[in-house]
Amino acid sequence: MDYLEGAEISHLPVAFPSKGGEQQGNKVHKKTFWSTSIQSLIFLQHHNTYISPSAAIFKAEEAGEETEAMLNNMRVYGTCIIILMAIVVFVGVKYVNKLALVFLACVILSIIAIYAGVIKTAFDPPDFPICLLGNRTLSKRSFDVCAKFTESNNETKTTTLWRLFCDSSLLNATCDDYFSLNNVTEIQGIPGIMSGVLADNLWSAYSEKGSIVEKKDQPSVAGSEDTKMGGLPYVFTDIMTYFTMLVGIYFPSVTGIMAGSNRSGDLKDAQKSIPTGTILAISTTSFIYLSCIVLFGACIEGVILRDKFGEAVNGNLVVGTLAWPSPWVIVIGSFFSTCGAGLQSLTGAPRLLQAIARDGIVPFIQVFGHGKANGEPTWALLLTAGICEIGILIASLDSVAPILSMFFLMCYMFVNLACAVQTLLRTPNWRPRFKYYHWTLSFLGMSLCLALMFICSWYYALIAMLIAGCIYKYIEYRGAEKEWGDGIRGLSLNAARYALLRVEDGPPHTKNWRPQLLVLLNLDSEQLVKHPRLLSFTSQLKAGKGLTIVGSVLQGIYLDKSTEAQKAEENVKALMGVEKTKGFCQIVVSPHFRDGISYLIQSAGLGGMKHNTVLMAWPQSWKQTENRFSWKNFVDTVRETTAAQQALLVAKNIDLFPTNQERFTEGNIDVWWIVHDGGMLMLLPFLLRQHKVWRKCKMRIFTVAQMDDNSIQMKKDLQMFLYHLRLNAEVEVVEMFENDISAFTYEKTLMMEQRSQMLKQMQLSKNEREREAQLIHDRNTASHSAPAVKASVAAAVPEKVQMTWTKEKFVAEKHKNKDPNVSGFKDIFNMKPNQSNVRRMHTAVKLNGVVLNKSQHAQLVLLNMPGPPKNRKGDENYMEFLEVLTEGLDRVLLVRGSGREVITIYS
């Protein structure tokens, strides 16, 4: 079984890595580097120990020096082989890849030969005798005949074995007490699969260091306890055996789960190859290891299995004898497989060290970030080879294996911890493509790794954890913030002061970005929320994760409104409880409503716990409201969120949005991606579909192509972008060609400008303003429903409008306004629309028609929200453009990004 540790298929290039995550990721990378480096030497040691012991330079001259001679051979041959393999890796990784196929073929042939040999033992087991004295196993290195004496020419002669236990070769010599009382027997070391030896080998048989390897069911007579065992040809155990020690020795043979991951850059599609290659590799090797353990136990005597150096069979390779057709299949296969596994480790470890050095986290290892012009890590390879040489000089496999196991267990523990934490925090950019993953698996893996560390060696475990803690604190002290994000940020809230100071260090990385909402509510005269569905939508979007601040503004002086403010806060908190919105409430009292909104946007939150997104409802009655400047508050809010570099979400027709109790059984969430806004439009549907309300809705993404765009290529690029983002969505490119401006668009623009100009030039009373606005609205509606609109319709406008004006009122108004710059009403109604406004209105009408055609029945439509005009005189026109853009849609979410990326392809 030992040789299989070097013949591990999972060390071949079939599974590949990840980049890690800040301090924790660096710890994992460093542990993986040391583990992979030390692992290289284990594969070298297998060759010298078990494959070709006859090629020894140092030989034992006296009894008891065999182990030291063998270790010296390891040091010589291991140094030579490590130099050769380092040269191969230095030449180029492409040669390693080419050799990998040869190595894999040799491994497969060796495994097939083993299974064939096992089958052959059922009817023709090999002749492989071992010698027993009583129930004690004897070492055949000192004798050749398994008997006390032989008969030759009717003469009894003693054998070499007799002389080893007796003081002379005479039959009346004084012999060892146990030797005299027990018979010498010869049994087959490989009795075959049908022999029933599996029952004897099924249970454990641990032993102390220096104890004799014994066969349990063999008859034996105990000798004198005073007999000295030294110098007698028994097979002794060189170390104390117990379960955890065997786990430490066996564990490196199954660490190939991340060996190939060190070369993910060579993959065409890493996120597809990682799970497939890893699962197949581990499944294959686990099956081979476990089946070989069972088959060896069913074919080979237990004393042979416990004979570490093959003393009972004169150093012959047991598995080679078992295999069919020739032991050389195992010798050659094991040699190439150990070399191949060593090459894979020597290929991966330097790249890990180079990546760590290039991050600049640890200054004194930055020299290892340099390499050849093609990126090959020359200096890192030299350091790795040096670490391997240190392990080779140690030579003892049993001493190196527990150290290696500790590094790997620590590495896997932190990998599992990182995965579990990311899942529990529900980080939006943590989107594992593997469908059957659950955080409990990671937590179980982490617990098992931690337990095995202490079971194997509690003092090694403490040292390893101390080293890991020092690495973490050092990287934290260095203030490392690279491209990985920080998964610890979500857990740091346990200690409020410490957490706030940490979070305030800087803005979160794109990987950790999630919408931290400031929800702006409108209250009625009773201090009740006008649109409760806005909090329902907040709960569906946030799902209790991240920061939510619910704010509102009361107009007045705080000394006079403090009681009302307290009542409003209680009402809002009560509604938050009903809607299951987890967050904070903040009510601001301000003399001016717009100033209060500005205060909330600027000052809501504490330290790093600040919002990055503002959510508000669309002012539905902005045309008919009592406050003629209500739309100005909305446009100023848009401007202030942009100035604060915050995202803005505007929900139109918010009262039609679903409650938390509703469930959409079908339908679509349509995203109209007109302008790249940092990924907000991509991220929001993903977050919504995590909630039960939207879970069964499908995501569709529409993008608009103009006449000179390649729509087919646009679709392919967008599909590839979504694939790398690990988002499932249907992509459609809508072609919108430039048509002539319709009469309807021309007239609608004209009416918008006339209304705006009229309200500016005339100081109308409240009721008159409402009648005027209603008249223009009615005229626009009639024009829209007409089959054809002529340009001459504009000439009829003055007659209709003058119906709301008497002659006396007109004269009074004319004398009232003395400003010579103010035009009369005839100038207003004879004006021509601004061509810029006509173009904007044409775009809004055209785009609205396309959106209605594709998304009229969608459950939710997300649209890019254009920015307000730089010239404040066009604010009212801006509202009209947005109204036209979203006309006819039930549920609309206008999205305006903050100007930074909020989604990434990295997990």
Side-chain angles (χ1 to χ4, degrees), residues 154-174:
N154 295 323
E155 182 181 358
T156 302
K157 295 182 179 180
T158 58
T159 62
T160 305
L161 181 61
W162 177 282
R163 292 190 289 272
L164 291 173
F165 283 91
C166 302
D167 56 4
S168 72
S169 61
L170 300 176
L171 291 175
N172 59 355
T174 303

mmCIF file of all heavy atoms in Angstrom, residues 154-174:
data_model
loop_
_atom_site.group_PDB
_atom_site.id
_atom_site.type_symbol
_atom_site.label_atom_id
_atom_site.label_comp_id
_atom_site.label_asym_id
_atom_site.label_seq_id
_atom_site.Cartn_x
_atom_site.Cartn_y
_atom_site.Cartn_z
ATOM 1 N N ASN A 154 21.710 -39.215 5.519
ATOM 2 C CA ASN A 154 21.398 -39.803 6.831
ATOM 3 C C ASN A 154 22.146 -39.128 7.968
ATOM 4 O O ASN A 154 22.416 -39.740 9.009
ATOM 5 C CB ASN A 154 21.698 -41.314 6.849
ATOM 6 C CG ASN A 154 20.802 -42.071 5.901
ATOM 7 O OD1 ASN A 154 19.625 -41.716 5.761
ATOM 8 N ND2 ASN A 154 21.342 -43.097 5.268
ATOM 9 N N GLU A 155 22.514 -37.859 7.722
ATOM 10 C CA GLU A 155 23.241 -37.100 8.746
ATOM 11 C C GLU A 155 22.477 -35.803 9.019
ATOM 12 O O GLU A 155 22.073 -35.099 8.095
ATOM 13 C CB GLU A 155 24.652 -36.797 8.267
ATOM 14 C CG GLU A 155 25.485 -36.057 9.315
ATOM 15 C CD GLU A 155 26.889 -35.756 8.801
ATOM 16 O OE1 GLU A 155 27.222 -36.163 7.660
ATOM 17 O OE2 GLU A 155 27.634 -35.075 9.521
ATOM 18 N N THR A 156 22.271 -35.533 10.280
ATOM 19 C CA THR A 156 21.554 -34.314 10.678
ATOM 20 C C THR A 156 22.554 -33.170 10.837
ATOM 21 O O THR A 156 23.518 -33.293 11.623
ATOM 22 C CB THR A 156 20.790 -34.538 11.992
ATOM 23 O OG1 THR A 156 19.885 -35.635 11.830
ATOM 24 C CG2 THR A 156 20.042 -33.292 12.390
ATOM 25 N N LYS A 157 22.288 -32.088 10.120
ATOM 26 C CA LYS A 157 23.163 -30.918 10.179
ATOM 27 C C LYS A 157 22.344 -29.691 10.604
ATOM 28 O O LYS A 157 21.209 -29.513 10.186
ATOM 29 C CB LYS A 157 23.804 -30.646 8.822
ATOM 30 C CG LYS A 157 24.763 -31.746 8.372
ATOM 31 C CD LYS A 157 25.390 -31.369 7.040
ATOM 32 C CE LYS A 157 26.370 -32.452 6.580
ATOM 33 N NZ LYS A 157 27.001 -32.101 5.280
ATOM 34 N N THR A 158 22.940 -28.880 11.434
ATOM 35 C CA THR A 158 22.279 -27.632 11.840
ATOM 36 C C THR A 158 22.412 -26.583 10.741
ATOM 37 O O THR A 158 23.329 -26.615 9.936
ATOM 38 C CB THR A 158 22.902 -27.096 13.136
ATOM 39 O OG1 THR A 158 24.301 -26.880 12.921
ATOM 40 C CG2 THR A 158 22.700 -28.086 14.279
ATOM 41 N N THR A 159 21.459 -25.650 10.761
ATOM 42 C CA THR A 159 21.423 -24.603 9.737
ATOM 43 C C THR A 159 21.960 -23.292 10.290
ATOM 44 O O THR A 159 22.306 -23.175 11.473
ATOM 45 C CB THR A 159 19.974 -24.392 9.263
ATOM 46 O OG1 THR A 159 19.194 -23.961 10.376
ATOM 47 C CG2 THR A 159 19.396 -25.693 8.696
ATOM 48 N N THR A 160 22.015 -22.345 9.399
ATOM 49 C CA THR A 160 22.447 -20.992 9.813
ATOM 50 C C THR A 160 21.502 -20.428 10.859
ATOM 51 O O THR A 160 21.932 -19.726 11.780
ATOM 52 C CB THR A 160 22.489 -20.057 8.584
ATOM 53 O OG1 THR A 160 23.330 -20.646 7.580
ATOM 54 C CG2 THR A 160 23.010 -18.687 8.963
ATOM 55 N N LEU A 161 20.222 -20.724 10.715
ATOM 56 C CA LEU A 161 19.242 -20.247 11.692
ATOM 57 C C LEU A 161 19.548 -20.799 13.078
ATOM 58 O O LEU A 161 19.408 -20.098 14.083
ATOM 59 C CB LEU A 161 17.832 -20.662 11.249
ATOM 60 C CG LEU A 161 16.678 -20.219 12.139
ATOM 61 C CD1 LEU A 161 16.622 -18.695 12.211
ATOM 62 C CD2 LEU A 161 15.339 -20.778 11.640
ATOM 63 N N TRP A 162 19.972 -22.079 13.151
ATOM 64 C CA TRP A 162 20.354 -22.678 14.443
ATOM 65 C C TRP A 162 21.481 -21.886 15.075
ATOM 66 O O TRP A 162 21.455 -21.605 16.283
ATOM 67 C CB TRP A 162 20.755 -24.136 14.211
ATOM 68 C CG TRP A 162 21.238 -24.850 15.436
ATOM 69 C CD1 TRP A 162 22.457 -24.741 16.021
ATOM 70 C CD2 TRP A 162 20.497 -25.759 16.236
ATOM 71 N NE1 TRP A 162 22.550 -25.542 17.140
ATOM 72 C CE2 TRP A 162 21.345 -26.183 17.296
ATOM 73 C CE3 TRP A 162 19.206 -26.306 16.156
ATOM 74 C CZ2 TRP A 162 20.932 -27.101 18.261
ATOM 75 C CZ3 TRP A 162 18.801 -27.221 17.112
ATOM 76 C CH2 TRP A 162 19.648 -27.597 18.157
ATOM 77 N N ARG A 163 22.483 -21.576 14.291
ATOM 78 C CA ARG A 163 23.640 -20.875 14.831
ATOM 79 C C ARG A 163 23.308 -19.449 15.281
ATOM 80 O O ARG A 163 24.023 -18.887 16.110
ATOM 81 C CB ARG A 163 24.766 -20.864 13.785
ATOM 82 C CG ARG A 163 25.360 -22.249 13.528
ATOM 83 C CD ARG A 163 26.615 -22.154 12.673
ATOM 84 N NE ARG A 163 26.294 -21.787 11.295
ATOM 85 C CZ ARG A 163 25.986 -22.669 10.340
ATOM 86 N NH1 ARG A 163 25.910 -23.967 10.631
ATOM 87 N NH2 ARG A 163 25.743 -22.272 9.112
ATOM 88 N N LEU A 164 22.227 -18.875 14.728
ATOM 89 C CA LEU A 164 21.826 -17.533 15.162
ATOM 90 C C LEU A 164 21.192 -17.552 16.552
ATOM 91 O O LEU A 164 21.271 -16.561 17.288
ATOM 92 C CB LEU A 164 20.839 -16.923 14.155
ATOM 93 C CG LEU A 164 21.413 -16.564 12.777
ATOM 94 C CD1 LEU A 164 20.310 -16.132 11.837
ATOM 95 C CD2 LEU A 164 22.470 -15.470 12.908
ATOM 96 N N PHE A 165 20.576 -18.682 16.921
ATOM 97 C CA PHE A 165 19.906 -18.759 18.206
ATOM 98 C C PHE A 165 20.687 -19.582 19.255
ATOM 99 O O PHE A 165 20.346 -19.560 20.431
ATOM 100 C CB PHE A 165 18.517 -19.395 18.036
ATOM 101 C CG PHE A 165 17.489 -18.463 17.476
ATOM 102 C CD1 PHE A 165 17.280 -18.376 16.102
ATOM 103 C CD2 PHE A 165 16.718 -17.662 18.303
ATOM 104 C CE1 PHE A 165 16.331 -17.523 15.582
ATOM 105 C CE2 PHE A 165 15.774 -16.811 17.795
ATOM 106 C CZ PHE A 165 15.576 -16.728 16.423
ATOM 107 N N CYS A 166 21.695 -20.328 18.784
ATOM 108 C CA CYS A 166 22.451 -21.189 19.702
ATOM 109 C C CYS A 166 23.912 -20.737 19.767
ATOM 110 O O CYS A 166 24.402 -19.999 18.905
ATOM 111 C CB CYS A 166 22.371 -22.645 19.252
ATOM 112 S SG CYS A 166 20.667 -23.260 19.146
ATOM 113 N N ASP A 167 24.614 -21.240 20.785
ATOM 114 C CA ASP A 167 25.992 -20.800 20.971
ATOM 115 C C ASP A 167 26.983 -21.609 20.140
ATOM 116 O O ASP A 167 28.179 -21.287 20.099
ATOM 117 C CB ASP A 167 26.373 -20.878 22.463
ATOM 118 C CG ASP A 167 26.164 -22.263 23.049
ATOM 119 O OD1 ASP A 167 25.799 -23.183 22.281
ATOM 120 O OD2 ASP A 167 26.359 -22.415 24.270
ATOM 121 N N SER A 168 26.498 -22.686 19.472
ATOM 122 C CA SER A 168 27.377 -23.456 18.577
ATOM 123 C C SER A 168 26.520 -24.211 17.578
ATOM 124 O O SER A 168 25.289 -24.221 17.679
ATOM 125 C CB SER A 168 28.245 -24.438 19.380
ATOM 126 O OG SER A 168 27.468 -25.518 19.874
ATOM 127 N N SER A 169 27.175 -24.831 16.627
ATOM 128 C CA SER A 169 26.458 -25.568 15.587
ATOM 129 C C SER A 169 26.166 -27.013 15.987
ATOM 130 O O SER A 169 25.578 -27.769 15.210
ATOM 131 C CB SER A 169 27.261 -25.560 14.279
ATOM 132 O OG SER A 169 28.527 -26.182 14.471
ATOM 133 N N LEU A 170 26.543 -27.390 17.183
ATOM 134 C CA LEU A 170 26.311 -28.747 17.648
ATOM 135 C C LEU A 170 24.874 -28.938 18.093
ATOM 136 O O LEU A 170 24.207 -27.993 18.558
ATOM 137 C CB LEU A 170 27.257 -29.076 18.815
ATOM 138 C CG LEU A 170 28.768 -28.986 18.508
ATOM 139 C CD1 LEU A 170 29.573 -29.238 19.764
ATOM 140 C CD2 LEU A 170 29.151 -29.944 17.387
ATOM 141 N N LEU A 171 24.411 -30.163 17.979
ATOM 142 C CA LEU A 171 23.022 -30.427 18.338
ATOM 143 C C LEU A 171 22.780 -30.299 19.837
ATOM 144 O O LEU A 171 21.637 -30.076 20.261
ATOM 145 C CB LEU A 171 22.634 -31.841 17.874
ATOM 146 C CG LEU A 171 22.537 -32.044 16.364
ATOM 147 C CD1 LEU A 171 22.274 -33.489 16.036
ATOM 148 C CD2 LEU A 171 21.463 -31.150 15.761
ATOM 149 N N ASN A 172 23.830 -30.460 20.626
ATOM 150 C CA ASN A 172 23.672 -30.331 22.074
ATOM 151 C C ASN A 172 24.038 -28.930 22.581
ATOM 152 O O ASN A 172 24.316 -28.738 23.770
ATOM 153 C CB ASN A 172 24.533 -31.377 22.786
ATOM 154 C CG ASN A 172 25.994 -31.239 22.433
ATOM 155 O OD1 ASN A 172 26.362 -30.426 21.585
ATOM 156 N ND2 ASN A 172 26.847 -32.030 23.086
ATOM 157 N N ALA A 173 24.078 -27.960 21.657
ATOM 158 C CA ALA A 173 24.441 -26.591 22.043
ATOM 159 C C ALA A 173 23.320 -25.966 22.887
ATOM 160 O O ALA A 173 22.166 -26.400 22.866
ATOM 161 C CB ALA A 173 24.705 -25.755 20.802
ATOM 162 N N THR A 174 23.700 -24.952 23.647
ATOM 163 C CA THR A 174 22.724 -24.197 24.440
ATOM 164 C C THR A 174 22.046 -23.149 23.538
ATOM 165 O O THR A 174 22.715 -22.299 22.947
ATOM 166 C CB THR A 174 23.412 -23.494 25.610
ATOM 167 O OG1 THR A 174 24.094 -24.484 26.400
ATOM 168 C CG2 THR A 174 22.408 -22.744 26.454
#
